[in-house]
């Protein structure tokens, strides 16, 4: 992927912009809640019900209501503004988590009540990630700064989801799993209330938003790109999610067949480290290719690297391959969110980011479920290869849909220009001198300079 050698702003420059830390820091605190709550709730429900089936059903209901109703919640935020919607949404969600904390503290609570509380809590979960990514557009009209911000945001969110289960494990080990549920409620409510108090949560000026879009990488010589960019981002992100969802289960199977089941934690850590390094390095560059082309290329790279993971002779080699594949994860998600941001306006920016987020989550769940059906039927190396197909096929489909622009060489004429000149010469009066074409780069020359 070609990148520009021009100086790019630093991550410190992003954080020094007005109101950035005041918005981003509490948003991370609130989003940390989602990293803790799932493991805590899973263990708390299992202990309260005494049944893995009931606990699994409640968690599936929580995840389904969170993912499938997220676009509706995002639409409400886009229409009424985060300051009017998020505090109420966060308060209701925190109240439901507090009720689950009390209900799971000891056995005896009716199972139907736990199912009801869990499902309604998922339906009320605030889409904090998409809201923060929409706020970046108001905070940072400069596209270079905004690309860095999206990379930083994606890497930080991934680290929260890696460290969250560790914190939940501490609560489970030294106290009660329901403590993690209660702490999640407090983190989300307090972080959300501080975040919405930031000036960035006000509606941005339409002129500023329009100016930011005009400066985006999809303008200029790339303006010939057509098609539904948001749909392309959703399709590729769903494919990447399916690939990673399948990978999470395959890492467990590989570790167990190597007689080292605990090694799966290190393999997941290798994936996260690779993603963090790749995301930060990716955001530090100024890319010439537009996001609609970079995104499918990153999905293809992810699939090609993981296709050989199943042939790893041991856990050490697998960890290296997974780390290399992880270097494509955060860049792919960052690009998908940037594409969604660039193809929308202020009236539906949160909803566009939520569609991308929901596609990844739904793809991840589907990939895990499908892999669970095939892992006992196929050789393990074949399962790894099959798991890469969603990312590879979605990348190929989008690349086939997006026309690649052709750079023009110096001194080379377009067919239309040559035809006009021929017609002009044929229609010129006899005896009139024929004007020779000038060299490329002169004031009236028709040639174009090399595209750098």
């Amino acid at each position: 992927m070609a990148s520009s050698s021009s100086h790019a702003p630093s991550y410190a420059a992003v954080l020094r912009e007005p109101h950035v830390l005041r918005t981003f820091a509490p948003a991370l605190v609130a989003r940390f809640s989602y990293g803790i709550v799932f493991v805590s709730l899973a263990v708390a429900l299992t202990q309260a019900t005494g049944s893995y089936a009931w606990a699994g059903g409640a968690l599936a209901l929580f995840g389904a209501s969170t993912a499938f109703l997220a676009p509706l919640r995002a639409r409400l935020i886009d229409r009424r503004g985060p300051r009017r919607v998020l505090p109420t949404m966060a308060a209701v969600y925190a109240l439901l988590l507090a009720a689950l904390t009390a209900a799971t503290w000891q056995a005896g609570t009716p199972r139907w009540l736990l199912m009801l509380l869990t499902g309604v809590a998922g339906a009320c979960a605030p889409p904090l990630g998409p809201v923060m990514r929409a706020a970046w557009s108001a905070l940072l009209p400069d596209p270079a700064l905004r690309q860095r911000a999206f990379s930083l945001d994606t890497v930080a969110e991934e680290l929260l989801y890696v460290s969250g289960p560790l914190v939940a494990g501490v609560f489970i080990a030294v106290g009660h799993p329901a403590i993690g549920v209660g702490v999640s409620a407090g983190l989300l409510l307090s972080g959300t209330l501080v975040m919405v108090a930031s000036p960035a949560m006000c509606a941005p000026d339409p002129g500023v938003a329009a100016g930011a879009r005009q400066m985006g990488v999809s303008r200029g010589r790339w303006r010939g790109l057509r098609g539904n960019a948001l749909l392309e981002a959703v399709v590729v992100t769903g494919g990447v999610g399916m690939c990673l969802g399948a990978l999470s289960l395959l890492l467990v199977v590989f570790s167990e067949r190597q007689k080292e089941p605990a090694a799966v934690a290190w393999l997941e850590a290798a994936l996260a480290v690779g993603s963090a390094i790749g995301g930060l390095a990716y955001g530090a560059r100024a890319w010439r290719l537009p996001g609609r082309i970079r995104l499918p290329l990153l999905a293809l790279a992810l699939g090609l690297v993981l296709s050989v993971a199943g042939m790893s002779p041991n856990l050490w080699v697998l960890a290296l391959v997974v780390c290399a594949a992880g270097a494509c994860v955060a860049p792919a998600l960052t690009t998908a969110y940037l594409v969604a941001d660039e193809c929308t306006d202020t009236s539906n920016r949160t909803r566009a980011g939520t569609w991308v987020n929901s596609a990844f989550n739904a793809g991840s769940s589907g990939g895990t479920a499908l892999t669970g059906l095939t892992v006992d039927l196929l050789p393990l190396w074949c399962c790894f290869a099959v798991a890469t197909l969603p990312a590879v096929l979605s990348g190929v489909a989008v690349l086939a849909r997006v026309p690649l622009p052709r750079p023009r060489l110096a001194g080379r004429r377009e067919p239309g220009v040559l035809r006009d000149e021929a017609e002009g010469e044929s229609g010129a009066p006899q005896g009139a001198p024929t004007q020779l074409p000038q060299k490329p780069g002169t004031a009236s020359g028709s040639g174009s300079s090399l595209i750098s």
Side-chain angles (χ1 to χ4, degrees), residues 297-368:
L297 290 177
L298 287 165
L300 286 172
L302 173 66
L304 292 176
V305 173
L306 286 181
S307 64
V308 300
M311 295 181 285
S312 301
N314 53 55
L315 290 167
W316 294 104
V317 175
L318 180 61
L320 292 175
V321 175
V322 167
C323 184
C328 302
V329 174
L333 294 177
T334 297
T335 307
Y337 290 128
L338 282 170
V339 169
D341 181 80
E342 289 171 1
C343 69
T344 57
D345 54 27
T346 55
S347 65
N348 58 7
R349 183 165 285 137
T350 305
R351 191 174 13 160
T354 303
W355 276 113
V356 173
N357 200 60
S358 297
F360 179 83
N361 293 333
S364 179
S365 300
T368 303

Coordinates of all heavy atoms in Angstrom, one line a residue, residues 297-368:
L297 N -8.0 -4.6 0.8 CA -6.6 -5.1 0.8 C -6.2 -5.6 2.1 O -5.5 -6.6 2.3 CB -5.7 -4.0 0.3 CG -5.8 -3.6 -1.2 CD1 -4.8 -2.5 -1.5 CD2 -5.5 -4.8 -2.1
L298 N -6.5 -4.9 3.2 CA -6.2 -5.3 4.5 C -6.9 -6.6 4.9 O -6.4 -7.5 5.6 CB -6.6 -4.2 5.5 CG -5.7 -3.0 5.5 CD1 -6.3 -1.8 6.3 CD2 -4.3 -3.3 6.2
A299 N -8.2 -6.7 4.5 CA -8.9 -8.0 4.7 C -8.2 -9.1 4.0 O -8.1 -10.3 4.5 CB -10.4 -7.8 4.2
L300 N -7.8 -8.9 2.7 CA -7.1 -10.0 2.0 C -5.8 -10.3 2.7 O -5.4 -11.5 2.8 CB -6.8 -9.5 0.6 CG -7.9 -9.4 -0.4 CD1 -7.5 -8.8 -1.7 CD2 -8.4 -10.9 -0.7
A301 N -5.0 -9.3 3.2 CA -3.8 -9.6 3.9 C -4.0 -10.4 5.2 O -3.3 -11.4 5.4 CB -3.1 -8.3 4.2
L302 N -5.1 -10.1 5.9 CA -5.4 -10.8 7.1 C -5.7 -12.3 6.8 O -5.2 -13.2 7.4 CB -6.6 -10.2 7.8 CG -7.2 -11.0 9.0 CD1 -6.2 -11.0 10.1 CD2 -8.5 -10.3 9.4
G303 N -6.5 -12.5 5.7 CA -6.9 -13.9 5.4 C -5.7 -14.7 4.9 O -5.5 -15.9 5.2
L304 N -4.8 -14.1 4.1 CA -3.7 -14.8 3.5 C -2.7 -15.2 4.6 O -2.1 -16.3 4.6 CB -3.0 -13.9 2.5 CG -3.7 -13.7 1.2 CD1 -3.0 -12.7 0.3 CD2 -4.1 -15.0 0.5
V305 N -2.5 -14.3 5.6 CA -1.6 -14.7 6.7 C -2.2 -15.8 7.6 O -1.5 -16.8 7.9 CB -1.3 -13.4 7.6 CG1 -0.5 -13.8 8.8 CG2 -0.5 -12.4 6.8
L306 N -3.4 -15.7 7.9 CA -4.0 -16.7 8.7 C -4.2 -18.1 8.0 O -4.4 -19.1 8.7 CB -5.4 -16.2 9.3 CG -5.3 -15.2 10.4 CD1 -6.7 -14.8 10.8 CD2 -4.5 -15.7 11.6
S307 N -4.2 -18.1 6.7 CA -4.4 -19.3 6.0 C -3.3 -20.3 6.2 O -3.5 -21.5 6.0 CB -4.5 -19.0 4.5 OG -3.3 -18.5 4.0
V308 N -2.1 -19.9 6.6 CA -1.0 -20.8 6.9 C -0.9 -21.1 8.4 O 0.0 -21.8 8.8 CB 0.3 -20.2 6.4 CG1 0.2 -20.0 4.9 CG2 0.7 -18.9 7.0
A309 N -1.7 -20.4 9.2 CA -1.6 -20.6 10.7 C -1.8 -22.0 11.1 O -1.1 -22.5 12.0 CB -2.6 -19.7 11.4
G310 N -2.7 -22.8 10.4 CA -3.0 -24.1 10.8 C -1.9 -25.1 10.6 O -1.9 -26.2 11.1
M311 N -0.9 -24.7 9.8 CA 0.3 -25.6 9.5 C 1.4 -25.3 10.4 O 2.5 -25.8 10.2 CB 0.7 -25.4 8.0 CG -0.3 -25.9 7.0 SD 0.2 -25.7 5.3 CE 0.0 -23.9 5.1
S312 N 1.2 -24.5 11.5 CA 2.3 -24.2 12.4 C 2.6 -25.5 13.2 O 1.8 -26.2 13.7 CB 1.8 -23.1 13.4 OG 1.4 -21.9 12.8
P313 N 3.9 -25.8 13.3 CA 4.4 -27.0 14.0 C 4.2 -27.0 15.5 O 4.1 -28.0 16.1 CB 5.8 -27.1 13.6 CG 6.3 -25.7 13.3 CD 5.1 -25.0 12.8
N314 N 4.2 -25.7 16.1 CA 4.1 -25.6 17.5 C 3.4 -24.3 17.9 O 3.1 -23.5 17.0 CB 5.4 -25.8 18.2 CG 6.5 -24.8 17.6 OD1 6.3 -23.6 17.6 ND2 7.6 -25.4 17.1
L315 N 3.3 -24.1 19.2 CA 2.6 -22.9 19.7 C 3.4 -21.6 19.4 O 2.8 -20.6 19.2 CB 2.3 -23.0 21.2 CG 1.2 -24.1 21.5 CD1 1.2 -24.4 23.0 CD2 -0.2 -23.5 21.1
W316 N 4.7 -21.8 19.5 CA 5.6 -20.6 19.3 C 5.4 -20.0 17.8 O 5.3 -18.8 17.6 CB 7.0 -20.9 19.5 CG 7.3 -21.3 21.0 CD1 7.5 -22.5 21.5 CD2 7.4 -20.3 22.1 NE1 7.7 -22.4 22.9 CE2 7.6 -21.1 23.2 CE3 7.3 -18.9 22.2 CZ2 7.8 -20.5 24.5 CZ3 7.4 -18.3 23.4 CH2 7.7 -19.1 24.6
V317 N 5.4 -20.9 16.9 CA 5.3 -20.5 15.5 C 3.9 -19.9 15.3 O 3.7 -18.9 14.6 CB 5.5 -21.6 14.5 CG1 5.2 -21.2 13.1 CG2 7.0 -22.1 14.6
L318 N 2.9 -20.6 15.9 CA 1.5 -20.1 15.7 C 1.4 -18.7 16.4 O 0.7 -17.8 15.8 CB 0.5 -21.0 16.4 CG -1.0 -20.6 16.4 CD1 -1.4 -20.5 14.9 CD2 -1.8 -21.6 17.2
A319 N 2.0 -18.4 17.5 CA 2.0 -17.1 18.1 C 2.6 -16.0 17.2 O 2.0 -14.9 17.1 CB 2.7 -17.1 19.4
L320 N 3.7 -16.4 16.5 CA 4.2 -15.4 15.5 C 3.3 -15.1 14.4 O 3.1 -14.0 13.9 CB 5.6 -15.9 15.0 CG 6.7 -16.0 16.1 CD1 8.0 -16.7 15.4 CD2 7.1 -14.6 16.6
V321 N 2.7 -16.2 13.8 CA 1.8 -16.0 12.7 C 0.5 -15.2 13.1 O 0.1 -14.3 12.4 CB 1.3 -17.4 12.2 CG1 0.3 -17.2 11.1 CG2 2.5 -18.1 11.6
V322 N 0.0 -15.5 14.3 CA -1.2 -14.8 14.8 C -0.8 -13.3 15.1 O -1.6 -12.4 14.8 CB -1.7 -15.4 16.1 CG1 -2.7 -14.5 16.8 CG2 -2.3 -16.8 15.8
C323 N 0.4 -13.1 15.6 CA 0.8 -11.7 15.8 C 0.9 -10.9 14.5 O 0.5 -9.7 14.4 CB 2.2 -11.7 16.5 SG 2.8 -10.0 17.0
A324 N 1.5 -11.6 13.5 CA 1.6 -10.9 12.1 C 0.2 -10.6 11.6 O -0.1 -9.6 11.0 CB 2.3 -11.8 11.2
A325 N -0.8 -11.6 11.8 CA -2.1 -11.4 11.3 C -2.8 -10.2 12.1 O -3.6 -9.4 11.5 CB -2.9 -12.6 11.5
G326 N -2.5 -10.1 13.4 CA -3.1 -9.1 14.2 C -2.7 -7.7 13.7 O -3.4 -6.7 13.9
A327 N -1.5 -7.6 13.0 CA -1.1 -6.3 12.5 C -2.1 -5.7 11.5 O -2.0 -4.5 11.2 CB 0.3 -6.4 11.9
C328 N -3.0 -6.6 11.0 CA -4.0 -6.1 10.0 C -5.3 -5.8 10.6 O -6.2 -5.2 10.0 CB -4.2 -7.2 8.9 SG -2.7 -7.7 8.0
V329 N -5.5 -6.2 11.9 CA -6.9 -6.1 12.5 C -7.2 -4.7 12.8 O -8.2 -4.2 12.3 CB -6.9 -7.0 13.7 CG1 -8.3 -6.8 14.4 CG2 -6.8 -8.5 13.4
A330 N -6.4 -4.0 13.6 CA -6.7 -2.6 14.0 C -6.7 -1.7 12.8 O -7.6 -0.9 12.6 CB -5.8 -2.1 15.1
P331 N -5.8 -1.8 11.8 CA -5.8 -1.0 10.6 C -7.1 -1.2 9.8 O -7.7 -0.3 9.3 CB -4.6 -1.5 9.8 CG -3.6 -1.9 10.8 CD -4.5 -2.5 11.9
A332 N -7.6 -2.5 9.7 CA -8.8 -2.8 9.0 C -10.0 -2.1 9.6 O -10.9 -1.5 9.0 CB -9.0 -4.3 8.8
L333 N -10.1 -2.2 11.0 CA -11.2 -1.6 11.7 C -11.2 -0.1 11.6 O -12.2 0.6 11.4 CB -11.3 -2.1 13.1 CG -11.5 -3.6 13.3 CD1 -11.5 -3.9 14.8 CD2 -12.9 -4.0 12.8
T334 N -10.0 0.4 11.8 CA -9.8 1.9 11.7 C -10.3 2.4 10.3 O -11.0 3.4 10.2 CB -8.3 2.3 11.9 OG1 -7.9 1.9 13.2 CG2 -8.1 3.8 11.7
T335 N -9.9 1.7 9.2 CA -10.2 2.1 7.9 C -11.7 2.0 7.7 O -12.3 2.9 7.0 CB -9.5 1.3 6.9 OG1 -8.1 1.3 7.1 CG2 -9.7 1.8 5.5
A336 N -12.3 0.9 8.2 CA -13.8 0.8 8.0 C -14.5 1.9 8.7 O -15.5 2.5 8.2 CB -14.2 -0.5 8.6
Y337 N -14.1 2.3 9.9 CA -14.7 3.4 10.6 C -14.5 4.8 9.9 O -15.4 5.6 9.8 CB -14.2 3.5 12.0 CG -14.7 2.4 12.9 CD1 -13.8 1.7 13.7 CD2 -16.0 2.1 13.0 CE1 -14.2 0.6 14.5 CE2 -16.5 1.0 13.8 CZ -15.5 0.3 14.6 OH -16.0 -0.7 15.4
L338 N -13.3 4.9 9.3 CA -13.0 6.1 8.5 C -13.9 6.2 7.3 O -14.4 7.3 6.9 CB -11.6 6.2 8.1 CG -10.6 6.6 9.2 CD1 -9.2 6.4 8.8 CD2 -10.8 8.1 9.6
V339 N -14.1 5.1 6.6 CA -14.9 5.1 5.4 C -16.4 5.4 5.8 O -17.0 6.2 5.1 CB -14.8 3.7 4.7 CG1 -15.9 3.5 3.6 CG2 -13.5 3.5 4.1
A340 N -16.8 4.8 6.8 CA -18.2 5.1 7.3 C -18.4 6.6 7.6 O -19.4 7.2 7.4 CB -18.6 4.2 8.5
D341 N -17.3 7.2 8.3 CA -17.4 8.6 8.6 C -17.4 9.5 7.4 O -18.1 10.5 7.4 CB -16.2 8.9 9.6 CG -16.2 10.3 10.0 OD1 -16.9 10.6 11.0 OD2 -15.4 11.1 9.5
E342 N -16.6 9.1 6.4 CA -16.4 10.0 5.3 C -17.7 10.0 4.3 O -17.9 10.9 3.6 CB -15.2 9.6 4.5 CG -13.9 9.9 5.2 CD -12.7 9.3 4.5 OE1 -12.9 8.7 3.4 OE2 -11.6 9.5 5.0
C343 N -18.4 8.9 4.4 CA -19.5 8.8 3.4 C -20.9 9.2 4.1 O -21.9 9.0 3.5 CB -19.6 7.4 2.9 SG -20.2 6.2 4.0
T344 N -20.8 9.8 5.2 CA -22.0 10.2 5.9 C -21.9 11.7 6.3 O -20.8 12.3 6.3 CB -22.3 9.4 7.2 OG1 -21.2 9.4 8.0 CG2 -22.6 7.9 6.8
D345 N -23.0 12.3 6.8 CA -23.0 13.6 7.3 C -23.4 13.6 8.8 O -23.5 12.5 9.4 CB -23.9 14.5 6.5 CG -25.4 14.0 6.5 OD1 -25.7 13.2 7.4 OD2 -26.1 14.3 5.5
T346 N -23.5 14.7 9.4 CA -23.7 14.8 10.8 C -25.1 14.2 11.2 O -25.3 13.9 12.4 CB -23.7 16.3 11.3 OG1 -24.6 17.1 10.5 CG2 -22.3 16.8 11.1
S347 N -26.0 14.1 10.3 CA -27.3 13.6 10.7 C -27.4 12.1 10.9 O -28.4 11.6 11.5 CB -28.3 14.0 9.6 OG -28.0 13.3 8.4
N348 N -26.4 11.3 10.5 CA -26.4 9.9 10.7 C -25.1 9.3 10.9 O -24.8 8.1 10.6 CB -27.1 9.2 9.5 CG -26.5 9.5 8.2 OD1 -25.4 10.1 8.1 ND2 -27.1 9.0 7.1
R349 N -24.1 10.1 11.4 CA -22.8 9.6 11.5 C -22.7 8.5 12.6 O -22.0 7.5 12.5 CB -21.8 10.8 11.9 CG -20.4 10.4 12.0 CD -19.5 11.6 12.0 NE -19.4 12.1 10.6 CZ -19.4 13.4 10.3 NH1 -19.7 14.3 11.3 NH2 -19.3 13.8 9.1
T350 N -23.4 8.7 13.7 CA -23.3 7.7 14.8 C -23.9 6.4 14.3 O -23.4 5.3 14.6 CB -24.1 8.2 16.0 OG1 -23.6 9.4 16.4 CG2 -24.0 7.2 17.2
R351 N -25.0 6.4 13.5 CA -25.6 5.2 13.0 C -24.7 4.5 12.0 O -24.7 3.3 12.0 CB -27.0 5.6 12.4 CG -27.8 4.4 12.0 CD -29.2 4.8 11.5 NE -29.4 6.2 11.1 CZ -30.3 6.6 10.3 NH1 -31.2 5.8 9.8 NH2 -30.4 7.9 10.0
A352 N -24.0 5.2 11.2 CA -23.1 4.6 10.2 C -22.0 3.8 10.9 O -21.7 2.7 10.6 CB -22.5 5.7 9.3
G353 N -21.4 4.5 11.9 CA -20.4 3.7 12.7 C -20.9 2.5 13.4 O -20.3 1.5 13.6
T354 N -22.2 2.6 13.9 CA -22.8 1.5 14.6 C -23.1 0.3 13.7 O -22.9 -0.8 14.1 CB -24.1 2.0 15.2 OG1 -23.9 3.1 16.1 CG2 -24.8 0.9 16.0
W355 N -23.4 0.6 12.4 CA -23.6 -0.5 11.5 C -22.3 -1.3 11.3 O -22.3 -2.5 11.2 CB -24.1 0.0 10.1 CG -25.6 0.2 10.1 CD1 -26.2 1.4 10.0 CD2 -26.6 -0.8 10.1 NE1 -27.6 1.2 9.9 CE2 -27.8 -0.1 10.0 CE3 -26.6 -2.2 10.2 CZ2 -29.0 -0.8 10.0 CZ3 -27.7 -2.9 10.2 CH2 -29.0 -2.2 10.1
V356 N -21.2 -0.5 11.2 CA -19.9 -1.2 11.0 C -19.6 -2.0 12.3 O -19.1 -3.2 12.2 CB -18.8 -0.2 10.8 CG1 -17.4 -0.8 10.8 CG2 -19.0 0.5 9.4
N357 N -19.8 -1.4 13.5 CA -19.5 -2.1 14.7 C -20.4 -3.4 14.9 O -20.0 -4.4 15.3 CB -19.8 -1.1 15.9 CG -19.1 -1.6 17.1 OD1 -17.9 -1.7 17.2 ND2 -19.9 -1.8 18.2
S358 N -21.7 -3.2 14.5 CA -22.6 -4.4 14.6 C -22.2 -5.5 13.6 O -22.4 -6.7 13.9 CB -24.1 -3.9 14.4 OG -24.5 -3.0 15.4
A359 N -21.8 -5.1 12.4 CA -21.4 -6.1 11.5 C -20.2 -6.9 12.0 O -20.2 -8.1 11.8 CB -21.0 -5.4 10.1
F360 N -19.3 -6.3 12.6 CA -18.1 -7.0 13.2 C -18.6 -7.9 14.3 O -18.1 -9.1 14.3 CB -17.1 -6.0 13.7 CG -15.9 -6.7 14.3 CD1 -14.8 -7.1 13.5 CD2 -15.8 -6.8 15.7 CE1 -13.7 -7.7 14.1 CE2 -14.7 -7.5 16.2 CZ -13.6 -7.9 15.4
N361 N -19.4 -7.4 15.2 CA -19.8 -8.3 16.3 C -20.7 -9.5 15.8 O -20.5 -10.6 16.3 CB -20.7 -7.4 17.3 CG -19.8 -6.4 18.0 OD1 -18.6 -6.6 18.2 ND2 -20.4 -5.3 18.4
A362 N -21.6 -9.2 14.9 CA -22.4 -10.3 14.4 C -21.6 -11.3 13.6 O -21.8 -12.5 13.7 CB -23.5 -9.7 13.5
G363 N -20.6 -10.8 12.8 CA -19.7 -11.7 12.1 C -18.9 -12.5 13.0 O -18.7 -13.7 12.8
S364 N -18.4 -11.9 14.1 CA -17.6 -12.7 15.1 C -18.4 -13.8 15.7 O -17.9 -15.0 15.8 CB -17.1 -11.7 16.2 OG -16.3 -12.4 17.1
S365 N -19.6 -13.5 16.1 CA -20.5 -14.6 16.7 C -20.8 -15.7 15.7 O -20.7 -16.9 16.0 CB -21.8 -13.9 17.2 OG -21.5 -13.0 18.2
G366 N -21.1 -15.3 14.4 CA -21.4 -16.3 13.4 C -20.2 -17.1 13.1 O -20.3 -18.3 12.9
G367 N -19.0 -16.5 13.0 CA -17.8 -17.3 12.7 C -17.5 -18.3 13.8 O -17.1 -19.4 13.5
T368 N -17.7 -17.9 15.1 CA -17.5 -18.9 16.1 C -18.4 -20.0 16.1 O -18.1 -21.2 16.2 CB -17.6 -18.2 17.5 OG1 -16.7 -17.1 17.6 CG2 -17.3 -19.1 18.6

